[in-house]
Amino acid sequence: MIAIHCSLMFVGTYYFAAIIQTLLHRIFGHHDRIRKVYETHAKGHHGKYPPHRLIADEWLDSEQHVMWYYAIPFVPVALLVAWLLGTWLFLSHVAAMAFAIWWHIYLHKQYHLRGSVWERFQWFRTKRELHFIHHREVHRNYAIVEYWIDVFLGTRKEPNQ
């Protein structure tokens, strides 16, 4: 039974992290509410990958992430999980959080790389195009991986619309 609970915790945490990533991107990534986040993302990432140059032969080494600000909601939730639900569910929660953060960073890098190993998959090409729409229209498609979240936010824009 603990395996089922841990599996559910892992899946739930992954989607929780995806929702938080999308919301924080929308709230802070393109609005100067936390200057470091805004400057790193809006001026940094979008400056390095402008609409006319979205793909590069290699990831730009100067690229920075603002994943540290995810600690604002994630740490209290992790502490609450540890306190209320015990060791195994806490470990499942932490593993899912680590995976979600890694997957978002990894896939985001792949979107901007020419010749990514993932290009042969339609799901990747679709997600990449949704992300590129965000670079062209910064108030659309805030998600990095789970673009269905943008449907609920009213910010999703499909390719060729």
Side-chain angles (χ1 to χ4, degrees), residues 5-121:
H5 289 133
C6 287
S7 297
L8 291 172
M9 175 62 78
F10 191 94
V11 171
T13 297
Y14 171 81
Y15 286 111
F16 168 73
I19 291 167
I20 295 299
Q21 174 276 314
T22 305
L23 289 172
L24 292 181
H25 184 188
R26 182 178 183 186
I27 294 167
F28 298 111
H30 293 281
H31 300 282
D32 194 1
R33 294 182 173 119
I34 299 177
R35 182 160 303 266
K36 177 68 174 162
V37 173
Y38 174 74
E39 288 181 356
T40 300
H41 181 69
K43 294 180 180 178
H45 178 67
H46 282 265
K48 289 175 175 43
Y49 296 101
H52 64 279
R53 195 178 63 233
L54 294 170
I55 297 180
D57 290 327
E58 60 186 31
W59 182 252
L60 301 175
D61 287 337
S62 61
E63 180 72 16
Q64 298 177 18
H65 286 285
V66 289
M67 295 302 288
W68 58 267
Y69 82 107
Y70 286 80
I72 296 167
F74 290 163
V75 169
V77 170
L79 293 172
L80 194 61
V81 167
W83 182 54
L84 293 176
L85 302 177
T87 304
W88 286 108
L89 291 176
F90 171 72
L91 292 174
S92 180
H93 175 76
V94 170
M97 192 62 61
F99 171 75
I101 291 169
W102 170 81
W103 183 238
H104 279 74
I105 291 172
Y106 173 78
L107 203 57
H108 187 217
K109 285 182 178 182
Q110 297 302 307
Y111 293 156
H112 292 285
L113 290 177
R114 182 175 289 108
S116 169
V117 298
W118 298 101
E119 286 179 354
R120 65 179 175 247
F121 299 107

